[in-house]
Amino acid sequence: ALLWKSKSTLTSFGVFCLQMGWGDLGVFGEPSKETPNLDQMASEGMLFLDFYTANPLCSPSRAALLTGRLPVRNGFYTTNAHARNAYTPQDIVGGIPDSELLLPELLKKAGYVNKIVGKWHLGHRPQFHPLKHGFDEWFGSPNCHFGPFDNRALPNIPVYRDWEMIGRYYEDFKIDLKTGEANLTQIYLQEALDFISKQQASQQPFFLYWAIDATHAPVYASKHFLGTSQRGLYGDAVREIDDSIGKILKHLQKLGISENTFVFFTSDNGAALISAPKQGGSNGRFLCGKQTTFEGGMREPAIAWWPGHIPAGGVSHQLGNVMDLFTTSLSLAGLQPPGDRQIDGIDLLPAILQGKLIDRPIFYYRGNEMMAVRVGLYKAHYWTWSNSWEEYSKGIDFCPGQNVSGVTTHTQEEHTTLPLLFHLGRDPGEKYPLSFASSEYQRAMEGISAVVQQHRVTMVPGEPQLNVCDKAVMNWSPPGCEKLGKCLKPPKPEPKKCVWPH
């Protein structure tokens, strides 16, 4: 989640929820209707039906949100192999470069106090610490809550308060892998409420990034929510997130600052169908899920809420992207985006406040490759790939039950000469490619080709940060481990190229 406030007493709060799919919310048609708070948030604000993430994986998406730039520009990609998804596991050497300007850094110069609650995932070595990139406070973890690990071959993930760790997952912050019980979402909720209260009491402009991870496998929920959903443990986690968002919105109203608060809810990638149905969500009628550049991997639920400013019950078909939150947030704060670099995010305020539709494309990247592009209602695939036959034979399937011949391919298929073209209005599930010989195909591709050519002319890739791995850089001895007696001995450095099979 994001929370920030400008000198004009605007407070902005956005929720960047981990791995929730487009079909997980009642307002998007989920049959059990177990998200009453998010549904009400949509009825009081604006629903975006065509909102995207910048990458079908977590770390690059978060880097894009906070920089307003495609991962291939900000370095959150790999060149170790073609079109591979890469992120920041414990052994990654890289992270967010110092050369990138993050949203909290820019807001800090304008007097904001900035906090991140939850998962950072932009590098865990000291130089990548969020407090070195504009945040003033942090409660959460540098990596995801995988594990438990044995603290010999792999250390358990640390949980930080500001500069120092205060414990580790599974040891000090329990996650019961048998029952799915964990109190983390409640802890993250309280951190958000306390931060809001503190900044409001001091009349301080603020920004909060609430990056919870309960819907990422291994899924968890607190005892009060366990067994309450028709959808099993994943549904329990979604219900607790929904309840938490409801409490945060009510807290803003109770403090009398809801009309000065801009709230945005979205996700970092589509639901992980490989974890479904017990540990993964729903992408509705869209094709495939996380890790892919089909609609299910990158089209996200999105809701904007700002009482007194956004007309209630609004529905927008504006093509949006998480990178737009960077530019829109700066606009709300009366700031200009940096002029010395390519910014991919646009200002959504005309769409949100005036109902305008801004003409812009959506680019679907997987690693170092532009896989597809959307212009208007048309989407052209220049490359298709779900995952390899080798991985598929091991039971890894990012498109379970959704085989579309010639579309969901298990080898990387190039279509740059004749892209596969879909009309997402008539065919949101990407099942029926348009005929190459049709006049509609020819007409649509003329416009798309011009957009792609211009994009490639301006594309200057950043130095890839996700190429090198080394077990010596894992979370062996994070700052503060001495006080807790939780320092672990690292192995000798042995850097090597990371292997990214997807």
Side-chain angles (χ1 to χ4, degrees):
L2 313 154
L3 202 95
W4 53 269
K5 165 179 173 178
S6 78
K7 288 182 178 177
S8 60
T9 71
L10 171 74
T11 59
S12 163
F13 169 81
V15 180
F16 191 59
C17 190
L18 187 70
Q19 229 166 253
M20 283 181 69
W22 199 91
D24 280 334
L25 275 61
V27 71
F28 283 112
E30 203 290 312
S32 62
K33 303 290 185 184
E34 293 180 344
T35 54
N37 294 288
L38 284 165
D39 297 349
Q40 182 175 342
M41 179 183 175
S43 72
E44 295 174 356
M46 176 171 283
L47 196 64
F48 281 82
L49 300 181
D50 299 83
F51 197 85
Y52 291 85
T53 184
N55 192 270
L57 204 62
C58 42
S59 298
S61 298
R62 292 158 188 268
L65 183 152
L66 291 175
T67 63
R69 287 154 54 80
L70 284 163
V72 72
R73 295 193 208 274
N74 63 38
F76 262 67
Y77 72 107
T78 182
T79 55
N80 286 357
H82 178 252
R84 301 304 168 105
N85 290 317
Y87 66 111
T88 54
Q90 283 204 67
D91 59 348
I92 200 74
V93 171
I96 194 70
D98 283 340
S99 57
E100 290 298 317
L101 286 173
L102 275 62
L103 177 59
E105 292 181 78
L106 298 170
L107 293 174
K108 192 177 180 68
K109 293 178 180 178
Y112 285 72
V113 172
N114 310 305
K115 179 164 185 168
I116 170 174
V117 175
K119 190 173 79 168
W120 171 236
H121 228 26
L122 299 187
H124 59 273
R125 299 171 68 204
Q127 65 266 41
F128 306 126
H129 193 290
L131 269 63
K132 288 194 174 181
H133 292 272
F135 285 103
D136 299 289
E137 299 180 22
W138 179 26
F139 184 91
S141 58
N143 311 91
C144 207
H145 59 281
F146 299 136
F149 302 120
D150 59 13
N151 278 345
R152 293 186 295 277
L154 298 170
N156 272 332
I157 305 299
V159 175
Y160 278 76
R161 180 172 295 284
D162 300 332
W163 289 106
E164 297 184 344
M165 70 174 283
I166 56 173
R168 294 183 187 268
Y169 282 140
Y170 298 98
E171 300 168 25
D172 310 286
F173 294 86
K174 306 295 184 183
I175 303 174
D176 190 320
L177 292 179
K178 291 183 179 179
T179 66
E181 183 179 350
N183 205 40
L184 286 167
T185 301
Q186 292 302 307
I187 296 173
Y188 293 152
L189 168 61
Q190 196 58 51
E191 287 288 325
L193 297 177
D194 290 347
F195 180 75
I196 295 169
S197 295
K198 179 182 175 183
Q199 304 313 318
Q200 171 58 14
S202 62
Q203 293 296 297
Q204 177 66 49
F206 62 89
F207 164 72
L208 174 65
Y209 176 31
W210 199 58
I212 50 178
D213 61 1
T215 48
H216 190 298
V219 173
Y220 62 80
S222 62
K223 188 174 182 178
H224 178 73
F225 289 91
L226 287 179
T228 64
S229 169
Q230 296 181 47
R231 304 179 64 197
L233 180 57
Y234 181 85
D236 296 340
V238 171
R239 288 199 67 239
E240 184 168 16
I241 290 169
D242 176 78
D243 182 78
S244 297
I245 291 168
K247 285 184 168 66
I248 290 169
L249 298 185
K250 288 182 178 66
H251 191 59
L252 294 169
Q253 292 168 331
K254 181 181 177 181
L255 293 176
I257 58 173
S258 60
E259 292 195 1
N260 295 328
T261 303
F262 180 81
V263 182
F264 204 95
F265 169 88
T266 190
S267 179
D268 59 350
N269 50 247
L273 299 186
I274 190 175
S275 305
K278 293 184 177 179
Q279 298 268 319
S282 166
N283 295 311
R285 64 186 301 186
F286 299 125
L287 186 62
C288 300
K290 179 181 177 178
Q291 302 264 12
T292 78
T293 50
F294 299 110
E295 291 297 284
M298 293 185 62
R299 199 188 294 205
E300 309 303 330
I303 304 169
W305 185 87
W306 189 10
H309 301 271
I310 298 176
V315 176
S316 177
H317 286 282
Q318 171 66 48
L319 296 188
N321 195 290
V322 295
M323 297 179 292
D324 302 340
L325 298 180
F326 173 90
T327 314
T328 305
S329 298
L330 292 177
S331 178
L332 283 164
L335 300 172
Q336 294 293 321
D340 63 344
R341 64 201 63 209
Q342 182 73 37
I343 300 296
D344 297 293
I346 66 170
D347 182 1
L348 290 177
L349 286 185
I352 294 172
L353 300 180
Q354 300 161 30
K356 293 184 178 180
L357 289 179
I358 304 161
D359 185 27
R360 64 89 64 86
I362 296 292
F363 297 102
Y364 303 69
Y365 270 84
R366 183 163 173 165
N368 59 347
E369 185 61 72
M370 190 201 75
M371 304 288 284
V373 62
R374 177 176 174 179
V375 176
L377 286 169
Y378 292 99
K379 179 180 180 182
H381 289 267
Y382 287 75
W383 289 84
T384 53
W385 190 38
S386 51
N387 63 304
S388 69
W389 282 115
E390 180 184 4
E391 295 291 302
Y392 184 73
S393 68
K394 298 176 184 176
I396 297 172
D397 188 358
F398 301 141
C399 312
Q402 292 185 299
N403 179 54
V404 180
S405 180
V407 179
T408 55
T409 55
H410 291 293
T411 55
Q412 292 189 18
E413 299 293 332
E414 185 174 4
H415 309 279
T416 52
T417 304
L418 280 175
L420 296 181
L421 185 66
F422 297 89
H423 187 286
L424 294 179
R426 300 192 299 263
D427 177 26
E430 297 170 282
K431 292 179 174 61
Y432 308 104
L434 273 65
S435 168
F436 298 136
S438 68
S439 59
E440 182 181 8
Y441 180 94
Q442 302 294 332
R443 188 171 58 251
M445 283 310 304
E446 281 184 20
I448 292 173
S449 297
V451 169
V452 169
Q453 183 178 3
Q454 177 63 26
H455 177 67
R456 286 179 169 153
V457 166
T458 62
M459 176 50 67
V460 180
E463 182 179 349
Q465 295 294 308
L466 308 180
N467 280 354
V468 181
C469 290
D470 188 347
K471 286 190 174 181
V473 306
M474 294 175 120
N475 293 288
W476 301 104
S477 299
C481 67
E482 300 90 348
K483 298 176 184 177
L484 302 174
K486 288 186 175 291
C487 297
L488 305 170
K489 185 178 180 180
K492 292 181 180 179
E494 194 176 339
K496 57 185 179 182
K497 289 178 71 173
C498 304
V499 177
W500 305 109
H502 308 306

